Amino acid sequence: MTLLSKTELRKALRKARREHVLAQPEAIKALLFSRPPGALLSRISETASIGLYAASADEAPAASYAKFFHEQGRTIVLPRFDTRDSAMTFASYVDPYIDDLLEGGPFGVAQPRADAKPIIPDVVFVPLIGFTENGERLGQGGGHYDRWLSEHPGRLAIGLAWDVQLCEALPVEPHDMTLDAIITPTRAYGL
């Protein structure tokens, strides 16, 4: 069997993800990704700062995780880009219940405002297009998370995904960073 290219896989997986999300009743979607699983929480220090992301319409939502960790008194940070060409950094998201603490970023994704304090998180929740059971990840294609994780070794990296995003195999290149765990609505891989 011939493995599809990353571009072909992204196109097919985005379509499958979009269709999967559209098929979910709103009442069910509200229940999914509401709280990190206990097996994951046992791996996260009580003092760890938590990097999350503002999800697009089809990505696995991270907003409830932000609220959960905020209520636990954790420092929450989100990715931030000054320009499309700048490196991804993380900045403080002091209250996930207040939407006006965010602004539109250069990729059309909400991010902390320019005056938000830069913080390097201890734990990073990562969006993805596809994944394998052993933690390989196919991202959007910009390499932002791969570069960030490579530059910040030792951080716990956890993917959030829909079950439909599971792949038997992915084309992996030397710069592709493997995730420590992946959480879907029905499974926790790597825990």
Side-chain angles (χ1 to χ4, degrees), residues 26-84:
E26 287 302 315
I28 298 297
K29 280 197 281 190
L31 297 173
L32 303 174
F33 299 103
S34 62
R35 181 176 199 263
L40 175 60
L41 291 175
S42 69
R43 290 189 58 187
I44 299 175
S45 161
E46 290 184 17
T47 60
S49 55
I50 311 295
L52 291 155
Y53 59 90
S56 68
D58 298 337
E59 287 176 329
S64 291
Y65 278 27
K67 292 172 183 172
F68 172 85
F69 284 116
H70 174 73
E71 290 169 5
Q72 300 293 313
R74 307 297 183 85
T75 298
I76 307 297
V77 298
L78 297 179
R80 176 164 174 64
F81 296 88
D82 290 327
T83 68
R84 290 182 75 87

Side-chain angles (χ1 to χ4, degrees), residues 1 4 15 19-20 23 34 38 44 46 68 90 93 96-97 106 109 114 124 126 134 140 142 146 175 179 185:
M1 177 176 146
L4 296 174
K15 181 179 185 293
E19 290 171 354
H20 175 77
S34 62
I44 299 175
E46 290 184 17
F68 172 85
F90 283 87
Y93 185 34
Y97 291 97
V109 177
V124 180
V126 181
N134 61 353
Q140 294 286 355
D146 289 320
H175 65 269
L179 300 175

Side-chain angles (χ1 to χ4, degrees), residues 69-134:
F69 284 116
H70 174 73
E71 290 169 5
Q72 300 293 313
R74 307 297 183 85
T75 298
I76 307 297
V77 298
L78 297 179
R80 176 164 174 64
F81 296 88
D82 290 327
T83 68
R84 290 182 75 87
D85 297 325
S86 64
M88 181 175 76
T89 60
F90 283 87
S92 177
Y93 185 34
V94 295
D95 192 337
Y97 291 97
I98 303 174
D99 290 334
D100 66 359
L101 296 175
L102 301 177
E103 64 185 14
F107 294 102
V109 177
Q111 65 180 26
R113 295 187 311 222
D115 61 351
K117 180 183 176 183
I119 297 174
I120 297 172
D122 301 306
V123 177
V124 180
F125 286 86
V126 181
L128 51 86
I129 301 285
F131 71 96
T132 65
E133 287 186 11
N134 61 353

